[in-house]
Amino acid sequence: MNSERPRETGDLAGDPAGTGFLPADTFQDQVSVVTGGGTGLGLEISRGLAALGADVTILSRDPDHHGALLAEAGERGWRVTAKALDVREAQDVTRVANEIVAEKGKVDLLVNNAAGNFVCPSERLSFNAWRAVLGIVLDGTFYCSREFGRAMIAGDGGQIFNIVATYAWTGMPGVVHSASAKAGVLAMTKTLAAEWARHRIRVNAIAPGPFHSEGASGNLWPDEEWAERLRKGIPLQRFATAREIAAHSLYLCSPLCSWVTGECLVADGGGSLPTPWWTAGERVKRG
Ligand code: COA
């Protein structure tokens, strides 16, 4: 494995996540749906799935977000389709899920990646802003899970993969909307894993630490000073790359983790570990 320290910013010209360590047919012919699959982490997960044989449909609110992956898929011969969808709109989720099942005949994997987030003191957060983030993250994850989950139950099973955050456990000042929604998604992950195991559906999640993406940079760390403060709290001393988090995600979705369900992988460079109160090399006085 390449031990070179990864650059923090993604490099879309690079090899898709998962290729090189997962067999080339890992997701062969698996019908996969990725919400928010045209940008950031969703894009890297979608690229990896497509490169490893999946038939991928990306769902984004803004069709402008579809172009990059569709163009790359055309060049590389990947099977990628795109549909416009706002996951907050329950009836649209039902319609689009029905369309995909009618077109592809089944659904094997749903990645609930679509999210919205920004830093705002709780006392200044408008109800509309709360509703926007809860709607995308919590409602959207359930709407998609229910609709695609029904298709998996009617078929041969499948899997659902969710993106949460370590502040689902710890809370985080400034993102009460996102933390509350992600805590709900974590509970949903475990609940659906337990409830749908008998339908041969695995449900897992990943809790990534900071990585640069169109959605995160600017909304969560508007400048390098904020980014540096965040970086200092990470024991591995750097942000992740979207591709790294996508690779961890694809590993969890692969048959290498076929016995894992209801689990959440913390991939945060150690950022949620306790911080030592002493400095390495410092002499500890005795007596
Ligand atoms: N600070 C405070 N309030 C904010 C905000 C911010 N940075 N961004 C949005 N809001 C508020 C808006 O003011 C509005 O509330 P109001 O009507 O009371 O004024 C409410 O949130 C909805 O905003 P709007 O832009 O109309 O909604 P939207 O549904 O189009 O988009 C987001 C909401 C969160 C999805 C949008 O901000 C966004 O696209 N963010 C980038 C994507 C992202 O966050 N990705 C995930 C990164 S981890």
Side-chain angles (χ1 to χ4, degrees):
M1 195 169 171
N2 189 353
S3 60
E4 193 182 313
R5 186 182 160 116
R7 290 188 303 145
E8 287 184 351
T9 46
D11 172 9
L12 286 183
D15 291 337
T19 56
F21 79 92
L22 289 171
D25 62 351
T26 296
F27 297 102
Q28 195 61 46
D29 300 326
Q30 296 222 342
V31 175
S32 305
V33 176
V34 184
T35 67
T39 54
L41 176 58
L43 173 59
E44 289 294 356
I45 291 176
S46 300
R47 293 178 77 229
L49 285 169
L52 295 168
D55 179 338
V56 181
T57 302
I58 56 171
L59 304 173
S60 311
R61 237 189 335 166
D62 183 352
D64 286 350
H65 290 172
H66 297 155
L69 183 58
L70 289 176
E72 186 176 9
E75 282 165 25
R76 298 207 193 210
W78 294 340
R79 281 176 298 169
V80 176
T81 315
K83 289 179 186 287
L85 175 68
D86 185 337
V87 295
R88 291 174 285 194
E89 301 298 331
Q91 289 182 344
D92 291 340
V93 172
T94 303
R95 175 182 51 76
V96 166
N98 288 341
E99 278 173 22
I100 292 172
V101 174
E103 285 162 16
K104 312 280 183 186
K106 61 170 185 166
V107 176
D108 298 297
L109 170 65
L110 165 68
V111 180
N112 284 306
N113 164 78
N117 199 6
F118 48 82
V119 176
C120 182
S122 299
E123 69 276 17
R124 295 216 297 267
L125 188 72
S126 76
F127 293 151
N128 202 27
W130 165 269
R131 200 51 263 147
V133 172
L134 269 284
I136 299 167
V137 177
L138 188 58
D139 298 348
T141 298
F142 179 68
Y143 297 162
C144 291
S145 299
R146 195 192 80 168
E147 293 308 272
F148 291 104
R150 282 180 174 179
M152 292 174 195
I153 290 169
D156 288 334
Q159 52 178 322
I160 298 173
F161 191 75
N162 296 327
I163 315 298
V164 298
T166 51
Y167 54 60
W169 296 273
T170 62
M172 177 61 74
V175 289
V176 67
H177 43 2
S178 176
S180 305
K182 296 290 190 184
V185 173
L186 183 63
M188 202 187 309
T189 303
K190 292 179 181 293
T191 302
L192 295 182
E195 198 173 326
W196 287 351
R198 70 194 181 93
H199 298 297
R200 289 187 293 155
I201 298 173
R202 291 200 293 131
V203 190
N204 289 302
I206 192 164
F211 59 90
H212 293 289
S213 74
E214 292 89 334
S217 319
N219 281 309
L220 299 180
W221 49 90
D223 55 41
E224 186 46 37
E225 194 188 325
W226 281 45
E228 188 52 28
R229 270 188 260 152
L230 253 174
R231 202 176 283 115
K232 281 192 176 134
I234 302 171
L236 286 181
Q237 295 288 299
R238 64 170 178 84
F239 283 28
T241 67
R243 194 172 324 151
E244 266 181 306
I245 302 297
H248 300 327
S249 303
L250 293 170
Y251 164 69
L252 274 171
C253 292
S254 79
L256 290 173
C257 293
S258 53
W259 195 236
V260 178
T261 194
E263 196 48 76
C264 177
L265 176 71
V266 174
D268 69 347
S272 55
L273 297 173
T275 14
W277 63 94
W278 49 272
T279 312
E282 194 180 39
R283 192 185 165 85
V284 179
K285 289 183 190 158
R286 295 182 183 206

